[in-house]
Amino acid sequence: MTENTVSNAVAVRDTGPGAMVEHYRADLAQVMPSHVKPDTFVRLAVGVLRRDKNLALAAQNNPAALMGALMDAAQLGLTPGTEQYYLVPRKQKGRLEIQGIRGYQGEIELIYRAGAVSSVIVEVVRQHDRFSYTPGRDERPLHEIDWDVEDRGALRLVYAYAVMKDGATSKVVVLNRAQVMKAKAMSQGSDSAYSPWQKHEEAMWMKTAAHRLTKWVPTSAEYMREQLRAQAEVATETRPAPAPQTPAQAPAPEHGEEGPIDAEFVDDEPAPQWPAAAQPPQ
């Protein structure tokens, strides 16, 4: 977001956060991927601000933070106020401000959008589940769940992997509780009552694993562009060369006429002039 957008956001704060988002519809549209509809994006953003009074207050306190989060969501092409992209209030210097946090569905969406995978699997493993995976021996984890049990127990593991378009399996990411808690501790505001870590713990475990998976699979549309470019180059190389064209033949000279002399210039010399007293011999 540009400095002008930030300063202007502060200038229109008194019109309300919803009106401010509407005011910057064009700015948001400029950074969105082509598949995102600006009208839908703005309507959803305004809707979540109107439904949550704490978010509305946080947006009013710091409109630049609100617009920064919405700009980030717009650039990624993710829907704000959903499990693709959370908008949460957090305390900053004693007052609420808005923080944007990418959710697990957002991480998965970015993987799918690159076009390299056919499916993405992200699951949590609870205490009473059966789970087995040995890297180098097993292609994919074995995860068995007793769906009849009333309580599957506490969260203990989370895993993620992708099935590529050619059928191959990506690297399998497996994280235990200690690893997830370490990631949580590094997340700003994770201990806040408003944090998705407090309200959507299972989803944040899945987000942590999905985010780790993005290191091993393409997540950018640039991958698709590279694929299309490579296909175009292959098509160009395999295209048959055009048949050489035979130059048009000049018409044969008529009887008694001389044809042109190739690669040679011939100057026309004037006929010799004989003095009147010295005529050429007859």
Side-chain angles (χ1 to χ4, degrees), residues 45-282:
V46 171
V48 72
L49 291 172
R50 288 176 177 170
R51 289 193 304 271
D52 191 324
K53 63 179 182 179
N54 288 319
L55 275 181
L57 175 60
Q60 191 75 14
N61 288 338
N62 189 341
L66 166 65
M67 294 309 301
L70 292 181
M71 281 288 181
D72 182 46
Q75 288 176 326
L76 294 171
L78 302 179
T79 306
T82 69
E83 288 190 333
Q84 284 193 356
Y85 195 94
Y86 295 106
L87 292 177
V88 297
R90 65 166 180 169
K91 280 195 174 183
Q92 187 75 2
K93 295 182 180 180
R95 68 174 187 172
L96 291 179
E97 295 182 356
I98 282 186
Q99 179 184 14
I101 301 176
R102 196 184 306 178
Y104 88 94
Q105 289 186 0
E107 300 282 3
I108 294 174
E109 168 67 16
L110 295 177
I111 293 174
Y112 273 121
R113 198 181 300 163
V117 307
S118 60
S119 62
V120 180
I121 293 83
V122 185
E123 294 289 348
V124 294
V125 180
R126 292 186 173 271
Q127 200 66 39
H128 300 308
D129 296 350
R130 181 185 174 194
F131 180 83
S132 174
Y133 175 67
T134 301
R137 184 195 68 184
D138 302 328
E139 182 182 11
R140 301 173 187 177
L142 172 64
H143 183 195
E144 296 182 359
I145 301 173
D146 183 356
W147 296 109
D148 289 326
V149 68
E150 185 175 350
D151 183 5
R152 289 170 54 197
L155 293 166
R156 66 183 181 97
L157 298 171
V158 63
Y159 64 93
Y161 65 89
V163 179
M164 312 305 287
K165 285 288 182 68
D166 60 2
T169 302
S170 72
K171 178 179 175 63
V172 179
V173 173
V174 182
L175 302 175
N176 59 27
R177 171 172 285 276
Q179 291 169 311
V180 175
M181 291 301 100
K182 184 177 179 180
K184 175 184 176 181
M186 297 175 63
S187 176
Q188 291 184 346
S190 60
D191 293 332
S192 167
Y194 305 107
S195 172
W197 280 102
Q198 305 301 322
K199 294 183 175 182
H200 310 284
E201 183 183 19
E202 181 174 314
M204 293 305 290
W205 277 57
M206 296 170 71
K207 177 264 176 78
T208 304
H211 184 69
R212 296 287 179 90
L213 180 63
T214 61
K215 298 179 181 179
W216 304 98
V217 295
T219 57
S220 170
E222 182 62 26
Y223 171 82
M224 179 60 71
R225 288 194 291 270
E226 290 294 334
Q227 290 291 95
L228 294 175
R229 188 179 300 114
Q231 292 173 7
E233 291 176 355
V234 170
T236 302
E237 292 174 358
T238 57
R239 187 180 301 142
Q245 296 183 354
T246 305
Q249 298 293 330
E254 295 182 4
H255 182 70
E257 292 184 358
E258 294 183 357
I261 302 176
D262 292 338
E264 182 179 347
F265 291 97
V266 179
D267 293 331
D268 293 332
E269 296 182 356
Q273 300 295 322
W274 300 95
Q279 296 295 325
Q282 300 293 324

